[in-house]
Amino acid sequence: MGSLAVIKYLHGLDQDITLFINNLSNPATDQFWMFMSDKAVWIPAYVLFTYFLFRRLGWKKALIVIASAGIAFALCDQLSNIVKHSVDRLRPSYDHRMLTEGLTVLERRGGFFGFFSAHAANAFTFAVCLIIGFRNDKRHTYKAFTISALTWAALVAASRIFVGKHYFGDVLVGTLVGLGIGYCCGMLARHAIRRFVDRIPSTTPSGSSPSGPHESPSQGQ
């Protein structure tokens, strides 16, 4: 099977999966998915998370975590735009087959191209940056927050299929991109906090303890 045949087969499979998921919605759940898909409604949550970052970590660590999330957002957005205009894959809301076979479109169709989903990438990169960021506070495990953040990101990503804006494959790739960029930016923030706020050396000479008599680590509060 040639490469073009493989791409055509995968695209058809992606369309089938997307139609199946999209058609699981109904008028009773449509408003929920539209709510999850709307970026503006989550602004109060971002403000609340920012408040708790400062409260739990102190201003120095909180600023580093916020900066890492901002960089991750920017990377996801720019990469998504580059890929969308390189791949030129039409959104399902512009595809004749998808529309004639019952795709439900709950929002404006948006731009022509949709691979990959910036919504999915941004949601997961934000969740991962916060999960890693909050764990700089050693007093708590934040297990409940980790589960809640990943569940929220998954619902935001899934909403893009239910509102008819993205294929399943768009969302899957966006999720993987978001997880990867979020992890890298979150770990860079953690390293910066350990190195410049907690003053923990990156390497410890053999036979010496990480905090000697002349070290006085700051907690960044």
Side-chain angles (χ1 to χ4, degrees):
M1 184 182 292
S3 58
L4 290 178
V6 171
I7 292 173
K8 185 176 180 180
Y9 169 78
L10 292 176
H11 179 61
L13 180 61
D14 198 8
Q15 289 182 314
D16 293 338
I17 295 172
T18 301
L19 282 170
F20 173 77
I21 295 173
N22 178 268
N23 290 332
L24 291 175
S25 187
N26 56 69
T29 59
D30 285 348
Q31 290 300 317
F32 171 76
W33 293 117
M34 291 173 67
F35 174 82
M36 294 301 302
S37 185
D38 187 353
K39 289 181 178 180
V41 302
W42 296 109
I43 293 176
Y46 300 151
V47 174
L48 185 64
F49 291 143
T50 300
Y51 166 76
F52 277 108
L53 279 172
F54 280 94
R55 183 178 177 86
R56 295 290 189 180
L57 304 181
W59 70 271
K60 291 182 181 179
K61 295 181 182 180
L63 285 177
I64 292 174
V65 173
I66 292 168
S68 75
I71 292 170
F73 256 92
L75 288 173
C76 286
D77 263 343
Q78 292 304 310
L79 183 59
S80 174
N81 287 331
I82 291 170
V83 174
K84 282 176 182 175
H85 291 92
S86 299
V87 176
D88 291 348
R89 187 193 197 196
L90 285 176
R91 293 180 187 271
S93 53
Y94 289 100
D95 186 272
H96 178 71
R97 179 204 165 186
M98 300 297 287
L99 294 173
T100 56
E101 293 191 16
L103 179 76
T104 300
V105 182
L106 301 176
E107 294 182 352
R108 295 177 60 183
R109 294 192 291 177
F112 287 112
F113 308 124
F115 182 84
F116 56 88
S117 170
H119 264 73
N122 286 335
F124 274 97
T125 206
F126 182 72
V128 172
C129 280
L130 285 187
I131 289 167
I132 296 174
F134 272 116
R135 286 183 177 176
N136 289 291
D137 173 19
K138 304 301 182 183
R139 296 166 296 178
H140 305 279
T141 61
Y142 292 99
K143 289 182 179 179
F145 174 78
T146 297
I147 295 171
S148 299
L150 291 176
T151 300
W152 165 79
L155 289 173
V156 170
S159 74
R160 304 303 287 167
I161 303 174
F162 285 106
V163 301
K165 295 289 283 289
H166 284 287
Y167 289 106
F168 170 77
D170 301 340
V171 170
L172 178 61
V173 173
T175 296
L176 294 175
V177 169
L179 288 171
I181 291 178
Y183 178 80
C184 291
C185 290
M187 293 306 293
L188 283 173
R190 173 177 286 187
H191 174 75
I193 287 171
R194 289 171 58 87
R195 184 70 180 86
F196 301 110
V197 180
D198 290 337
R199 304 291 184 182
I200 299 175
S202 56
T203 57
T204 303
S206 177
S208 63
S209 62
S211 56
H214 299 293
E215 294 177 352
S216 178
S218 168
Q219 294 303 313
Q221 299 294 332

